[in-house]
Amino acid sequence: MLSPWLSRLLIAAILATAFVSPGAEAFGADDPEYVKICDPILGKCKYILKSEIKKAAEEKTTPGKPAAKKAKPVCEFGGAAQACTDAELGNWSNRQQCYLQRLTPQPPESDPVWAGHTDGSIWACAREQGYDEGRHLVTRWVWLPGEPDTVVTDPVTLAYRAVAAMQLAPPPIKTAPGAGQIGLVKMPVWLWVTRSENTWGPIVRSASVPGLTVTATAQVKAINWSMGDGKTVRCDGPGTAYAKSFGIKESPDCGHRYRKTSREQPNCKYNVAATADWEITWQSTLGDTGQISMTQQAATQLRIGEAVPVLVDPSGDQVSVPPAKDGC
C-alpha cells in the first residue's frame, strides 16, 4: 500500500527520473540513486531511491484488478543469503552491503564525514568479516540523503518503531475523594482516568523502510486498580467522573469501598496504582499481522478515615469528642 504522500507524487517522481540530467539537483553528482521530489502543495521535498519510485510505479494496479501479492525482500551479501537484521548492528542494506544504523547523536556539522552536506544523515555501516577466532567487525560512516534500502523481513522491528512514535503515557488518575481529601470507611470511592489519544486510544501510527510499512493501532482494554488494601478493581472502561450532584451514590462502573481506615498505612494513606492494559495490533504491507501487549502505570494515595461520633450532653453544657489515634 502506498503512502498518501508517495501516491500523490508518483507521477511527478516518474517524470523526474525520466528527465533528470547528470548534473541536475537529483543528487546525480553525489548519489545518483536518489531523486529529489518536491510536493508543490505542502512545499516539502524528499529524497527517494530510484528503485522505490520504480517499485511504486509497478505496484499501481488497474481498476477492478487485484494487486499482485508482494514478494518478501531478500538480503544478500555477494550473492549469498544474509541475515536481514542484527540486534547490535541494525538492518541490512543490499546496496551498501552492510548493516546500517543512524548515528545518535549525529556528528557535528564540522565533521569531515558530512563532506559539505547540510541535509540527510550519517549512518554507521558495519559488516562482519573473517571467521576465525572472535567476531571481527569493519565499520565505516556513510552519508545518505534519505532513508536507506535496508531490508527488514521481520516487521516486528517496524511495529515497535510505530509504537514508539505513539508516545503512550500513563493514565491520568482521578478519584473521589481525591488526594488531599479524606474518605470514609464503607463509603463509595469513585475511580476514573482522563482519556486522550496517547493515554487511552485508539491511536494509529506507521513506520516504514523502503519496501515495507507497518501500521499499528493501540487501545486500552482495561484499567487494573490496585487499591493498597489487598484488593484489585478491574474496570473495562475509563470510569465515570464524579460530580457533586451524585452525592454518596456508588460509581456505576468503577469504584471501591474500603473496610478499614488507612491509619496503619505509611503516612496514613493507601498507595493506589492504576495499570492500563494496552492492546496493540499491527499489519504490514506484506500481509503480516501481530499483537503486542503493553502496560502503563500511574499512582496516587488515598487517606481513609472513619466517622467520629460526637457525644452531646443533654443539658448542653459539655461536648465529648474521642481523641485522634496515632496522629492520623
Side-chain angles (χ1 to χ4, degrees), residues 277-289:
D277 289 339
W278 286 88
E279 182 178 88
I280 305 169
T281 58
W282 58 264
Q283 183 172 5
S284 80
T285 50
L286 296 178
D288 299 292
T289 61

Side-chain angles (χ1 to χ4, degrees), residues 216-238:
T217 303
Q219 171 77 62
V220 171
K221 290 302 179 184
I223 300 283
N224 291 308
W225 294 81
S226 176
M227 302 307 300
D229 61 350
K231 304 293 184 181
T232 298
V233 179
R234 181 176 177 85
C235 300
D236 293 329

